[in-house]
Amino acid sequence: MTLSKKDFLGLRNINCHEINEILETAKLMKYTLVKNNKKTSYLQGKTIVTLFYENSTRTRLSFELASKYMSASVANVSASSSSVAKGESLMDTGRTIERMGVDVIIIRHPLSGAAHLLARNVNVSVINAGDGMNEHPTQALLDMFTMCEKKGGIQGLQVAIIGDILHSRVARSNIWGLTTMGAKVRVAGPSTLMPPGLEDIGVQVFSNVEDAIRDADVVMALRLQKERQESSLLPSIREYSKVYGLNKERIALARKDVLIMHPGPINRGVELTSHIADCVNSTINEQVTNGVAVRMALLYLITRRRQNSNALYS
Amino acid sequence: MLCIHNGNIIDGKRKDFYQGDILIDKGKIVEISCNNLCYKAEKIIDAKNLWVMPGFIDVHCHLREPGFEYKEDIASGTRSAAAGGFTSIACMPNTKPTIDNAAMVNFIKMKAAQEGKVKVYPIGAITKGREGKELTEMKELLEAGVIALSDDGDPVSDSRIMRLALEYAGQWGLPLISHCEDKSLAKDGVMNEGIISTMLGLKGIPSAAEEIMVARDVILAGTTGAPLHIAHVSTKGSVEIIRKAKSMGIKVTCETAPHYFSADEKWVDGYDTNAKVNPPLRTEEDVEAIKKGLQDGTIDIIATDHAPHHRDEKEIEYPLAASGISGFETAFALCYTNLVTENVISLVELVNKMSTIPARIFKIHGGTLEVGKAADIAIVNLKEEYTIDVQGFYSKGKNNPFHGKKVKGKVVYTIVQGKVVYDDGKII
C-alpha cells in the first residue's frame, strides 16, 4: 500500500485505485479514532509541518490531530506570525522548512497553484490542504468516505452540489473525485457563480436548484462567502438563501435517504436552514470525524512512500 | 565592401525570391545582382542555401530601461533583438519614468546609439504617466522622434480621452497603438476565461474584455479618421471586428504576436507562469482565427510584444507572477514553423508581415532590400531544426513557454546599417 507520487495536490490526476486505497485505509484509521487509546505508532519518527497562509480551524486541527494520533511530531506555521509576514517567498519558506528534517508539508494558500509551486521546489512530500479556488482534495476524500460509509459505494450515486461553484475548491475536488469514482455530479447555483465549461468535464449544470436536487442521493451545500454580495456577484444574501438555500421543501424532492453534506463552517439560514443542518439526513458532524480518518490514511500512505524512496538514497 | 553571396533573396518588393549577390558599402546596399559580386568585396558571407531578407522590424517590445534594468536594458534587449534577426525595434513607454516627454525620448535614443546593437525607435505615451487622464505633448514627442504613441500595458479607459488623443495625434498622422483591454471586465483575471480556467481554479479574462475595446477604438478611429493600430490581437472576435472595420474603410491596422498562433490556453495547465501573458493565451478556435486573419490580411503584421521579466517575478504563485514573454529570440522560428511550414502564409508574406509592412505603417526606414537603401538584413537558415533553449538567450528575460520545443528556421546573420551584429550565434 503506497501512493505513486511524492505529493498529494489534488484529485484531478488521481485514478480510482489510489482513491480507493486511501478510502480503504481510512476505514481502518477510523477504528483507532473511536478507540479508548488513540495513539498508534504509524508515523513514529516522522515530522509534519502545517503551513497555513489562510485561516482555518477544522482542516488544520484535523491534520494536526491525525498526525498526533499516529505519533508524528507536528509543528504549525502561520503566515501571519512568521517570516512570511516579512515578505519571504513561498519557495524560500518551503526550502527553509524542508531543511529542518521535515517529511511532509501540508499547505493551505489563498492562491490557486501554490501547492504545486511548493511541490516543484522541495523534495519532501507536499499535501494540498486547499489552494485558492483550485482544489481541497482531502475535503473531497472525506466527503467520498462519508458517502461510501452511508451508501456502500460511490459508483452510480447522483450527487448535487449547490452554490458558489466558481470560487469553490471543495466543488472542484469533489467533481474530479466523484466523476473518477463513477458518480454523477450535478451542480446548481447563481449563473454569476458558475464557471464555464463544466459540461465538458462531465458535470450536469442546472439553472434551477429544484431540478438539481430531484432524486439526488447526496446534496452538498457550499459555503457562501459574504464578499460575493459586495462584489456584485449576488444581489443579496437574502435572495440567495431564498432561491438556492436548502430547506425542507427542496430536500423533499431528493431521495428519502438523501445525505445532506456541507464542508463547513456553515452559515445557518443562508446555504441551508438550521432544520436541514440538524436533521437526521445531515452528515455534517460525521464528516468532521471522517476528515481525521482520511487525513490519517493519507499521511500514512504518503510517508510510507517516502520511506521507500529514502531507502533508495541511503 | 561586404558581399552576401549566392543567397535566396526576398527583397520585400517582389512576390517571389531570386538567387543572387548583395553588395554593401558604407552601410548601404550598393548593388544587387544575379552575377557573382565577390570580386568587389573584402568580406564575403557565403549565403548558399540561406535566405536573405530585409531585417525584421518589431513595433512592439519592452526594453525596460529606464527603471527596470533588472529585467532588461537597452544593451541586452537590442542584443536579443539582433539574435532574433531584428534590425529595427520600437520600444513601449511603460518604463519608469514613463516615456511621455521629449527628454525621455532623447534619453532612449542616446542610450540606444551608445549601447544598442539595432536601431531603436521610441514609442511615446498617449497620456502623461500613462494614467489615462491628460494627453502628452504629442507634437514635441513626434519631433523628438517617436514613431507612434501608446499607453501599452494599460488601455486608455476613458473614451473621451481616447477620442481626443486620436484627433490630436491624427493631425500629424501619428498612429496610436491601442492596448485593448476593458479593465473592469478583465478585473483580477489571470488567464483566458474558459474550460481551463475552470479546471485550474484561476480567475478568467473573457474575450469580451479585449473585443469591447477593439470595437470602441475602431469606432473612434472611424469618426476621427485618425490612424489606429491595435496591439496584440488575440481573439476571434477581435479579428472579426477589425475585418469589418477595414471593409468599412476605417484606417485601422493591427498586429498579433507569435504566441497567439503558437500556443493556447492549455499551456497554462500546471500553472506555468511562463505561459502567463496579457492578453492571455486563448482557445484553439482563437488560434485558428488569428491564422485566418494573418492569411487574409486582416492582421497586417506580427510584433513580438517582447516582455522580459526577472525569474523572481515568474517563479512565484501563478496569480502573482508578472505577465509577458521574452520573445525576440523565438519570433522568427515560431512564425516560420507555425505559419510557413503549415501553409498558412508564404515565406514572402511572412517577411512582409515582419518587416515590409511594419516599416510602411510606422514610416520606419527599412523593410526592403534596395540599392541605395540602408543595409538592414537578416539571413536565415530554414532547414535547421533545433530545440529552443532559454539559457542561450541574449535577453535577460528567460521567460518563454516555448523552451524545449522543436522549431525550424534559425537566424544566422543580422546586419544593421551594413555592419554584421550577429554572426551564427554570436553578437559582434
Side-chain angles (χ1 to χ4, degrees):
Chain A
M1 283 196 304
T2 176
L3 295 172
S4 64
K5 298 191 186 94
K6 169 176 85 79
D7 310 295
F8 189 77
L9 304 177
L11 296 185
R12 181 176 158 207
N13 294 315
I14 296 224
N15 61 36
C16 60
H17 304 294
E18 288 198 314
I19 293 175
N20 265 326
E21 180 105 40
I22 299 165
L23 297 181
E24 285 301 317
T25 310
K27 256 190 222 169
L28 304 173
M29 294 302 177
K30 198 170 176 182
Y31 291 129
T32 65
L33 264 185
V34 295
K35 272 198 283 193
N36 201 13
N37 179 356
K38 294 183 200 52
K39 206 76 166 174
T40 69
S41 58
Y42 299 138
L43 258 58
Q44 193 150 29
K46 299 288 177 197
T47 304
I48 290 162
V49 166
T50 65
L51 174 59
F52 274 48
Y53 289 77
E54 255 183 7
N55 292 333
S56 158
T57 310
R58 73 195 62 220
T59 304
R60 179 173 217 156
L61 187 58
S62 181
F63 269 113
E64 189 175 343
L65 291 176
S67 310
K68 285 182 169 162
Y69 294 153
M70 296 189 292
S71 305
S73 305
V74 55
N76 301 315
V77 181
S78 294
S80 53
S81 60
S82 63
S83 47
V84 171
K86 297 177 193 164
E88 188 174 55
S89 77
L90 172 59
M91 258 163 57
D92 289 337
T93 304
R95 286 171 182 161
T96 304
I97 293 171
E98 175 182 32
R99 287 302 176 117
M100 296 192 194
V102 170
D103 299 283
V104 184
I105 301 176
I106 297 160
I107 181 175
R108 154 82 51 108
H109 198 286
L111 296 172
S112 303
H116 304 67
L117 176 74
L118 178 66
R120 275 200 300 273
N121 287 286
V122 296
N123 293 315
V124 301
S125 291
V126 172
I127 293 176
N128 184 2
D131 64 321
M133 307 171 359
N134 178 39
E135 284 219 43
H136 188 358
T138 56
Q139 175 68 43
L141 285 175
L142 75 88
D143 292 337
M144 288 193 284
F145 182 83
T146 308
M147 291 177 210
C148 272
E149 250 189 354
K150 302 283 179 187
K151 299 286 183 188
I154 295 168
Q155 177 89 35
L157 288 183
Q158 294 280 353
V159 182
I161 306 177
I162 310 297
D164 179 1
I165 310 292
L166 177 63
H167 298 94
S168 177
R169 52 194 176 210
V170 175
R172 279 181 184 75
S173 281
N174 266 299
I175 287 168
W176 296 124
L178 287 165
T179 51
T180 299
M181 298 300 283
K184 296 265 181 272
V185 180
R186 313 154 166 193
V187 295
S191 48
T192 48
L193 296 174
M194 198 59 71
L198 284 173
E199 294 89 347
D200 298 341
I201 49 173
V203 176
Q204 255 187 304
V205 181
F206 290 87
S207 49
N208 184 314
V209 69
E210 283 80 8
D211 293 338
I213 292 175
R214 191 163 287 121
D215 297 323
D217 298 292
V218 178
V219 177
M220 186 184 296
L222 299 173
R223 181 176 167 80
L224 187 78
Q225 306 286 349
K226 297 269 185 335
E227 307 95 79
R228 306 299 172 228
Q229 181 186 336
E230 288 146 29
S231 54
S232 284
L233 288 161
L234 286 174
S236 70
I237 300 292
R238 176 176 166 273
E239 178 154 293
Y240 177 87
S241 67
K242 213 171 138 184
V243 181
Y244 302 98
L246 301 184
N247 54 29
K248 224 195 288 186
E249 293 73 30
R250 289 197 172 119
I251 289 300
L253 298 168
R255 288 178 57 124
K256 229 196 183 109
D257 57 352
V258 66
L259 303 183
I260 294 157
M261 307 184 88
H262 191 295
I266 59 175
N267 290 311
R268 287 176 184 267
V270 180
E271 301 102 44
L272 72 182
T273 60
S274 280
H275 174 85
I276 294 298
D278 303 329
C279 74
V280 289
N281 298 55
S282 166
T283 60
I284 295 171
N285 295 324
E286 189 111 23
Q287 281 171 267
V288 176
T289 311
N290 293 342
V292 182
V294 298
R295 287 172 182 124
M296 286 172 76
L298 179 61
L299 285 168
Y300 173 73
L301 293 170
I302 213 163
T303 49
R304 273 177 67 91
R305 187 197 171 278
R306 292 300 295 169
Q307 216 158 25
N308 297 340
S309 61
N310 281 346
L312 290 173
Y313 293 118
S314 55
Chain B
M1 280 201 250
L2 169 67
C3 179
I4 301 168
H5 174 59
N6 202 19
N8 300 304
I9 300 170
I10 294 173
D11 64 13
K13 296 180 76 180
R14 294 195 219 181
K15 286 208 165 66
D16 54 4
F17 66 94
Y18 48 93
Q19 258 183 8
D21 286 22
I22 296 177
L23 195 64
I24 296 161
D25 188 30
K26 296 191 184 76
K28 286 188 174 158
I29 296 173
V30 291
E31 195 174 348
I32 303 177
S33 171
C34 297
N35 300 322
N36 190 333
L37 301 176
C38 291
Y39 69 96
K40 296 187 181 178
E42 300 86 55
K43 200 184 162 216
I44 294 160
I45 291 175
D46 181 9
K48 189 166 187 265
N49 296 326
L50 300 179
W51 293 72
V52 183
M53 46 188 72
F56 307 135
I57 297 175
D58 187 19
V59 299
H60 191 147
C61 72
H62 300 270
L63 296 181
R64 305 296 190 204
E65 185 173 356
F68 305 99
E69 291 84 353
Y70 69 95
K71 296 178 196 250
E72 190 86 291
D73 55 29
I74 288 169
S76 66
T78 55
R79 277 164 177 74
S80 175
F86 293 91
T87 52
S88 291
I89 56 176
C91 57
M92 283 294 174
N94 60 338
T95 48
K96 202 173 169 184
T98 309
I99 307 173
D100 61 359
N101 59 69
M104 284 298 300
V105 175
N106 289 327
F107 169 78
I108 301 291
K109 283 166 62 182
M110 183 194 77
K111 272 284 214 171
Q114 286 170 353
E115 299 168 8
K117 284 287 165 190
V118 304
K119 298 172 183 174
V120 175
Y121 296 92
I123 294 168
I126 296 172
T127 62
K128 288 174 191 152
R130 298 191 313 114
E131 287 176 352
K133 291 177 189 150
E134 287 176 54
L135 301 190
T136 52
E137 293 166 332
M138 295 178 176
K139 184 69 195 318
E140 196 167 273
L141 284 166
L142 176 63
E143 281 166 0
V146 303
I147 55 139
L149 300 175
S150 179
D151 276 1
D152 187 64
D154 286 303
V156 177
S157 292
D158 187 316
S159 303
R160 179 175 163 271
I161 298 293
M162 188 62 181
R163 181 193 161 177
L164 294 173
L166 281 161
E167 282 177 342
Y168 195 80
Q171 298 177 89
W172 305 290
L174 182 60
L176 294 198
I177 302 176
S178 178
H179 167 113
C180 290
E181 180 182 7
D182 181 327
K183 284 271 184 188
S184 64
L185 203 48
K187 211 164 179 274
D188 40 11
V190 292
M191 72 169 296
N192 186 51
E193 181 180 281
I195 175 68
I196 307 295
S197 66
T198 294
M199 286 167 68
L200 296 178
L202 289 172
K203 289 194 177 156
I205 302 171
S207 301
E210 176 175 317
E211 291 155 8
I212 283 172
M213 285 301 242
V214 171
R216 182 199 75 171
D217 287 350
V218 297
I219 289 167
L220 291 175
T223 58
T224 58
L228 170 74
H229 180 80
I230 308 282
H232 42 55
V233 169
S234 75
T235 78
K236 185 183 178 189
S238 297
V239 175
E240 283 166 359
I241 293 163
I242 294 163
R243 187 176 287 134
K244 171 91 174 142
K246 285 186 165 187
S247 76
M248 290 163 68
I250 294 171
K251 264 194 262 172
V252 60
T253 55
C254 71
E255 75 196 29
T256 191
H259 40 272
Y260 297 118
F261 55 77
S262 306
D264 62 36
E265 58 180 354
K266 291 195 287 292
W267 288 52
V268 177
D269 200 357
Y271 303 95
D272 182 2
T273 56
N274 285 325
K276 187 179 178 191
V277 58
N278 189 23
L281 298 176
R282 304 286 187 179
T283 65
E284 265 176 58
E285 197 187 353
D286 293 303
V287 168
E288 286 313 306
I290 295 292
K291 287 182 177 173
K292 266 264 154 50
L294 284 163
Q295 202 168 49
D296 71 10
T298 302
I299 301 176
D300 303 86
I301 64 173
I302 296 163
T304 64
D305 195 0
H306 174 77
H309 289 292
H310 194 272
R311 75 185 174 96
D312 291 350
E313 299 167 311
K314 282 290 194 182
E315 291 176 4
I316 53 174
E317 294 89 328
Y318 183 94
L320 302 180
S323 293
I325 292 172
S326 176
F328 279 144
E329 290 165 77
T330 52
F332 178 75
L334 291 173
C335 291
Y336 182 70
T337 307
N338 295 310
L339 298 178
V340 180
T341 71
E342 301 280 322
N343 295 317
V344 177
I345 57 173
S346 69
L347 181 61
V348 171
E349 285 168 316
L350 177 61
V351 172
N352 286 338
K353 286 184 192 296
M354 289 186 76
S355 183
T356 316
I357 304 173
R360 198 184 301 150
I361 295 172
F362 293 94
K363 303 186 183 83
I364 297 171
H365 296 295
T368 56
L369 300 178
E370 283 177 79
V371 172
K373 280 201 159 187
D376 290 348
I377 300 169
I379 303 176
V380 304
N381 179 350
L382 299 180
K383 295 252 165 61
E384 190 168 343
E385 204 167 348
Y386 63 101
T387 303
I388 292 170
D389 180 6
V390 296
Q391 295 316 322
F393 279 11
Y394 281 93
S395 171
K396 289 185 190 177
K398 314 295 179 200
N399 49 304
N400 186 304
F402 302 101
H403 175 72
K405 295 279 177 246
K406 265 215 165 97
V407 287
K408 239 179 152 177
K410 195 162 201 176
V411 175
V412 197
Y413 296 97
T414 306
I415 299 165
V416 177
Q417 206 73 33
K419 186 176 176 294
V420 177
V421 293
Y422 182 73
D423 179 347
D424 202 13
K426 285 191 189 67
I427 293 287
I428 295 167

